[in-house]
């Protein structure tokens, strides 16, 4: 068959004219590459075995692998002691588990194969490497995942972590426990309420914030405290109104000078106080009552007298935060003074004599005194129930019964083991930070 002559028709026109396609087909058939149909044969048994081995090596059964890794850690818990050196197998297993559970499906699969509970048990391991690794795995599994946060609460993980954040002898593990708490409770209201309202979690965070020997824990505590102030202001307000000592502890970190080498903490503490002042009038007034103005003015004078305000941007930022906070507290003090004056004027205009005014003021003062002087809690070495509204001093050993909502307290016993029986369903809280 002769080859069709080259067309002189423009390409655009040719592509629109079906009669031109025949020439293209004829050319393609003439100049084909000579390929032919392949002779397919059934795969031999040897080839089948090879391809099976290939896919088995390349594709990981992730639930099975997680089971192997947790079993390895469980076995190591029977052999490693508190004094054991770092175990490379444990390090590798923990890193691989964190990598696997970073996929949300695998986090839930870890629970489905009944190995998440095993990881929780490792929080009580004598070996610090295992305890630290368990905190990291739990943090990865629960972060922003409500299903796993709920499962973790049911397994009393929050109680274990809260205890570790206070009593673990290794500062780095205290920080890891706080990190795991942050992942477990943030953006999950039942956990946030359990930690703050029922478990004295705000005091745990303030204690960590005031611990100048543990920089990492301070930053995590500061971040989580700010989170609660901004997202759960009512819970925070209730805590501070009932225990205003936490304000004094936060203020102590401002004046101590321990934050000068940690810009994040020095600025963060001031941002925290400013956020607290904005949360509710009661908290702003509590900050004023705690002599915050004098403390902040002293810190401001120290910075201004240092002569470093012209060449250190971080100092200028801290000065700006101090000035802003002092302005807020000044407004609070002014409003408080004006309110007191208004009350006096109102009392004067509604009474018929100065004697009546005096009587009313005396009655008001007596009422306030009676409210303030509620019977204080007297701690002993035995657990006692804390009555509703009763003032409780800092520095005690607390326990919350989540099934009844009752709080118990006693003096701290230094010889008491630092463990939490899960059956008690309690969070052990905070010796006073020194």
């Amino acid at each position: 068959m002769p080859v069709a002559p080259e067309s002189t028709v423009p390409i655009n026109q040719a592509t629109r004219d079906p009669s031109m396609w025949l020439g293209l087909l004829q050319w393609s058939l003439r100049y084909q590459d000579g390929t032919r149909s392949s002779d397919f044969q059934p795969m031999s048994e040897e080839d089948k075995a090879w391809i099976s081995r290939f896919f088995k090596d390349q594709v990981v059964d992730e639930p099975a692998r997680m089971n192997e890794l947790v079993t390895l850690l469980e076995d190591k818990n029977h052999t490693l002691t508190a004094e054991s050196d770092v175990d490379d197998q444990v390090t590798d297993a923990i890193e691989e588990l964190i990598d696997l559970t970073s996929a949300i499906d695998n986090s839930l699969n870890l629970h489905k194969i009944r190995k998440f509970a095993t990881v929780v048990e490792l929080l009580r391991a004598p070996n610090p490497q295992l305890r630290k690794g368990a905190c990291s795995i739990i943090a990865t599994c629960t972060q922003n995942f409500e299903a796993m946060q709920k499962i973790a609460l049911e397994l009393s993980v929050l109680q274990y972590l809260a205890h570790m954040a206070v009593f673990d002898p290794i500062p780095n593990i205290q920080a890891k426990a706080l990190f795991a708490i942050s992942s477990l409770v943030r953006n999950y209201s039942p956990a946030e309420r359990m930690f703050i309202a029922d478990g004295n979690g705000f005091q745990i965070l303030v204690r960590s914030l005031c611990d100048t020997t543990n920089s990492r824990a301070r930053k995590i505590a500061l971040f989580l405290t700010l989170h609660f102030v901004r997202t759960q202001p009512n819970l925070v307000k209730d805590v501070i109104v009932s225990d205003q000592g936490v304000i004094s502890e936060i203020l102590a970190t401002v004046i101590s000078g321990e934050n000068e080498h940690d810009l994040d903490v020095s600025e963060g503490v001031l941002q925290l106080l400013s956020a607290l002042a904005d949360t509710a009038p009661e908290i702003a007034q509590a900050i004023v009552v705690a002599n915050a103005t004098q403390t902040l003015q002293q810190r401001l004078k120290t910075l201004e007298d240092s002569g470093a305000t012209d060449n250190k941007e971080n100092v200028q930022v801290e000065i700006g935060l101090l000035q802003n906070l002092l302005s807020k507290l000044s407004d609070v003090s002014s409003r408080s003074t004006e309110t007191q004056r208004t009350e006096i004027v109102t009392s004067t205009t509604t009474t018929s004599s100065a004697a009546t005014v005096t009587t009313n003021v005396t009655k008001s003062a007596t009422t306030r005194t009676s409210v303030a002087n509620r019977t204080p809690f007297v701690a002993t070495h035995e657990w006692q129930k804390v009555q509703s509204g009763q003032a409780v001093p800092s520095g005690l050993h607390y326990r919350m019964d989540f099934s009844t909502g009752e709080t118990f307290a006693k003096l701290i016993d230094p010889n008491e083991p630092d463990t939490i029986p899960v059956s008690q369903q309690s969070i052990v809280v905070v010796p006073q930070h020194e």
Side-chain angles (χ1 to χ4, degrees):
M1 180 182 294
V3 179
E6 293 186 6
S7 175
T8 58
V9 180
I11 294 176
N12 289 340
Q13 181 180 346
T15 56
R16 292 194 297 269
D17 186 355
S19 66
M20 299 293 180
W21 296 354
L22 179 59
L24 177 61
L25 175 60
Q26 292 172 342
W27 184 90
S28 300
L29 291 173
R30 182 180 181 86
Y31 293 99
Q32 49 90 16
D33 61 0
T35 56
R36 59 184 177 81
S37 300
S38 300
D39 295 328
F40 292 104
Q41 298 294 329
M43 185 180 292
S44 66
E45 293 300 322
E46 183 180 355
D47 289 342
K48 290 180 181 178
W50 178 88
I51 200 168
S52 296
R53 290 195 302 270
F54 173 81
F55 281 111
K56 185 176 181 180
D57 292 340
Q58 299 300 316
V59 179
V60 177
D61 183 344
E62 293 182 336
R65 181 58 180 161
M66 290 191 297
N67 184 75
E68 293 175 5
L69 294 170
V70 176
T71 300
L72 183 148
L73 296 178
E74 189 176 16
D75 292 340
K76 290 289 185 179
N77 189 32
H78 298 305
T79 58
L80 297 178
T81 66
E83 293 77 24
S84 298
D85 293 333
V86 173
D87 188 298
D88 291 338
Q89 283 187 309
V90 171
T91 300
D92 293 341
I94 290 171
E95 289 179 355
E96 188 173 351
L97 274 170
I98 292 173
D99 183 60
L100 288 169
T101 54
S102 61
I104 192 169
D105 290 339
N106 280 337
S107 296
L108 196 55
N109 287 337
L110 186 63
H111 170 66
K112 290 179 178 178
I113 63 175
R114 302 186 179 184
K115 287 299 182 180
F116 183 71
T118 304
V119 174
V120 173
E121 286 298 317
L122 293 177
L123 292 173
R124 299 192 293 177
N127 181 261
Q129 187 182 6
L130 290 173
R131 294 200 306 276
K132 179 181 176 182
C135 288
S136 296
I137 296 167
I138 290 169
T140 304
C141 288
T142 58
Q143 188 169 27
N144 298 320
F145 190 11
E146 184 174 320
M148 285 303 297
Q149 289 171 319
K150 182 176 184 295
I151 290 167
L153 284 190
E154 293 171 351
L155 293 174
S156 302
V157 175
L158 184 57
Q159 287 89 326
Y160 287 127
L161 293 174
H163 186 269
M164 292 173 67
V166 177
F167 293 110
D168 198 283
I170 299 177
N172 195 26
I173 297 181
Q174 291 179 2
K176 277 290 184 182
L178 282 174
F179 174 65
I181 289 173
S182 177
S183 296
L184 172 56
V185 304
R186 276 187 298 117
N187 304 316
Y188 183 50
S189 295
E192 291 182 336
R193 178 168 294 278
M194 180 181 287
F195 184 60
I196 295 296
D198 301 333
N200 293 283
F202 199 81
Q203 288 88 336
I204 292 177
L205 296 177
V206 171
R207 179 187 183 277
S208 299
L209 177 60
C210 296
D211 184 1
T212 57
T213 64
N214 194 339
S215 175
R216 190 176 179 200
R218 295 185 80 192
K219 292 178 181 178
I220 297 172
L222 179 59
F223 165 78
L224 191 52
T225 305
L226 276 167
H227 166 80
F228 283 125
V229 171
R230 291 165 178 165
T231 62
Q232 297 286 355
N234 291 331
L235 292 180
V236 172
K237 182 187 74 171
D238 292 343
V239 170
I240 292 180
V241 169
S242 63
D243 183 7
Q244 297 187 10
V246 297
I247 296 293
S248 299
E249 292 185 55
I250 296 172
L251 284 170
T253 69
V254 176
I255 200 63
S256 67
E258 296 287 348
N259 301 334
E260 292 183 356
H261 303 296
D262 196 328
L263 182 62
D264 291 335
V265 174
S266 63
E267 294 180 5
V269 169
L270 295 175
Q271 291 171 351
L272 172 60
L273 287 168
S274 183
L276 284 169
D278 292 335
T279 299
E282 298 92 334
I283 297 181
Q285 186 61 38
I287 297 175
V288 172
V289 171
N291 294 323
T293 300
Q294 180 180 353
T295 300
L296 297 172
Q297 287 175 340
Q298 182 179 346
R299 177 60 181 165
L300 180 61
K301 185 176 185 302
T302 300
L303 291 175
E304 292 176 337
D305 291 347
S306 68
T309 58
D310 295 330
N311 54 17
K312 286 191 176 181
E313 182 180 354
N314 58 337
V315 175
Q316 290 284 16
V317 171
E318 186 173 351
I319 287 176
L321 290 170
L322 283 165
Q323 291 172 339
N324 178 60
L325 182 53
L326 284 167
S327 176
K328 289 183 181 182
L329 298 182
S330 177
D331 292 342
V332 171
S333 299
S334 297
R335 287 195 298 269
S336 177
T337 302
E338 185 63 29
T339 300
Q340 292 174 357
R341 289 175 180 171
T342 302
E343 289 176 351
I344 293 174
V345 171
T346 302
S347 298
T348 303
T349 58
T350 57
T351 56
S352 59
S353 65
T356 305
V357 173
T358 303
T359 302
N360 288 341
V361 173
T362 302
K363 287 181 179 179
S364 177
T366 302
T367 301
R368 290 194 295 268
T369 302
S370 64
V371 172
N373 291 337
R374 289 174 179 169
T375 304
F377 181 85
V378 180
T380 67
H381 288 285
E382 301 296 328
W383 288 110
Q384 298 181 73
K385 179 180 175 181
V386 180
Q387 302 300 325
S388 176
Q390 191 172 30
V392 182
S394 301
L396 300 182
H397 193 164
Y398 296 90
R399 187 177 71 196
M400 177 72 189
D401 187 337
F402 292 124
S403 63
T404 64
E406 296 177 334
T407 301
F408 299 84
K410 69 173 184 175
L411 295 173
I412 294 176
D413 184 355
N415 298 319
E416 188 172 358
D418 293 342
T419 58
I420 308 177
V422 179
S423 60
Q424 292 181 356
Q425 292 291 295
S426 62
I427 294 179
V428 176
V429 187
V430 217
Q432 187 175 13
H433 177 73
E434 298 180 357

